[in-house]
Each structure stands twice: as C-alpha cells, then as structure tokens.
Amino acid sequence: MVTAMWWVLRTGASWRDVPREFGPWSSVYTRWRRWCRQGLWRRVVRRLWRHAVGRLRLLDCSHIKLHQHGANPAGGQAAQAIGRTKGGLNTKLAALVDTRGRIVDFTLAAGPRHDQYAVLPLLASACGYWLVADRGFDSDVFRRRLQALRIRACIPALPNRRRALPCHRGFYRHRHKVENCFGRLKRFHRVATRYDKLALTFDAFLCFAIALDWLTS
C-alpha cells in the first residue's frame, strides 16, 4: 500500500486512478486517511529530524499553487491554510533546513500571510543556532524575536537601512540549500500542486515527501 501512496504522491493522480496491481484504490485511500488522522507521517519525520547536522538553520518560504479540486473546503479556506494572492489561490510552505539542506521543521500558512509571520512556529526549532535567511526577513521586530530565543541572525540588511548590520558571508553562501530543498520536494506532483482540500492530508503528503528526501540526501 505504501507503494501505491508513493505513486499518488509522485504523479499527483487521483486515488481512483491507482493502478490495479497496487490493490483496490478504496483500501489504499482508507489506510492513508487513517494514518493521516493518527499523525503517523509527522511522527516519522520527527524521528528523522533528530539527526539534523550543522550549526546553521536555513529559513525560507515557498508558494504552492492550489488546484481547483482543492478549493472551497468545508469550514472555509483560512482554516485549511489557503489564501488568495495576485497569482490566485495558494498555500505557503515555510521550512527550516539543516546544513545539508534537509528539512528539520515546516509549517503551512495561507498564501497572503507575510513570510515573517508564517515562520514564527518554526523559530523554536532554531534556538541556539545561526539562522540564515534572505533580506525579506530583515526587520527590527523579527531580529528582536530571534534575540529573545537566543538565535543568531545571518540576514542581509535592506538597502534602506541607515546603519549597516553585520552578515556572515560564509554562512550566507549556504542559503541556496533551502531553495534546492524546495526544488526537490516539488518533483513530487502532489507537492508541486496542492490537490487536497484539507491541510491535514496535504501536510501528510509533505511529510511523506520529506521522509523520502531525507532517505535519499
């Protein structure tokens, strides 16, 4: 059944299109939904995250386009991390990766939510580390949040700052690894485009893709 779930993750196809050699599609889907409700996939990636390496944590966000099949969920779009931007409906994936470019924590937010607020649930996972992020995270409020959590910032200053702020160039050269991680995850069609109405099931697909990325990186 796990192979059938991988096939859906990789192709983005609907559950009814699962090939017959994998077994009845309804059985695969039922098992998937059961594992989602039990939080199995989150538990899997949390075990992997314990093996993160390096003293850097790289932070960024990426937009994921919402397919029309995922629109209009029960309870409203905001409750399912869906929002409308200039490009249409989408979800924002905020991720924290280690020095080897593997995700060590992530969260979902509505597309219009500003990056500095979307990443707030992830900051606790960066305590005691150097946090590397682009200049979109350069604000006095965000830097004070990092200081309160004992997180050392490696963030380039915006051009309009009157006083230059230090930024470790050697550490900042690693920032591309978080972008590379997004690229690897979006090879899975079910991640590159969101087809799921519920944030719970989309979160599970992301965890599945992250676990596979950990095992192959």
Side-chain angles (χ1 to χ4, degrees), residues 15 30 49 62 92 100 115 121 129 132 152 203 212:
W15 292 102
T30 300
W49 292 346
S62 180
K92 179 170 289 187
R100 291 181 58 181
D115 289 2
Y129 294 93
V132 181
R152 290 165 289 184
D203 184 280
L212 293 173

Side-chain angles (χ1 to χ4, degrees), residues 82-149:
I82 299 172
R84 184 175 295 279
T85 63
K86 292 181 179 178
L89 292 174
N90 58 58
T91 292
K92 179 170 289 187
L93 168 62
L96 191 72
V97 310
D98 68 358
T99 308
R100 291 181 58 181
R102 302 170 301 185
I103 287 185
V104 297
D105 201 358
F106 77 92
T107 187
L108 297 174
R113 190 165 178 79
H114 195 282
D115 289 2
Q116 292 185 19
Y117 295 100
V119 302
L120 291 181
L122 306 180
L123 296 184
S125 300
C127 290
Y129 294 93
W130 279 90
L131 185 72
V132 181
D134 62 29
R135 56 169 47 96
F137 292 91
D138 178 34
S139 75
D140 294 334
V141 173
F142 189 72
R143 288 179 183 272
R144 283 196 293 269
R145 286 196 178 104
L146 298 183
Q147 290 177 356
L149 293 170

Side-chain angles (χ1 to χ4, degrees), residues 53-100:
V53 298
R55 57 174 176 165
L56 303 182
R57 292 296 179 262
L58 317 167
L59 183 70
D60 207 354
C61 296
S62 180
H63 283 284
I64 298 174
K65 190 76 172 178
L66 185 77
H67 193 271
Q68 61 182 358
H69 292 168
N72 302 319
Q77 295 173 349
Q80 304 301 332
I82 299 172
R84 184 175 295 279
T85 63
K86 292 181 179 178
L89 292 174
N90 58 58
T91 292
K92 179 170 289 187
L93 168 62
L96 191 72
V97 310
D98 68 358
T99 308
R100 291 181 58 181

Side-chain angles (χ1 to χ4, degrees), residues 169-187:
R169 291 183 177 272
F171 291 165
Y172 192 73
R173 291 193 183 99
H174 291 273
R175 203 196 70 80
H176 70 281
K177 293 178 181 178
V178 64
E179 301 287 356
N180 295 347
C181 181
F182 288 141
R184 292 195 305 271
L185 292 180
K186 289 185 178 181
R187 293 174 184 171

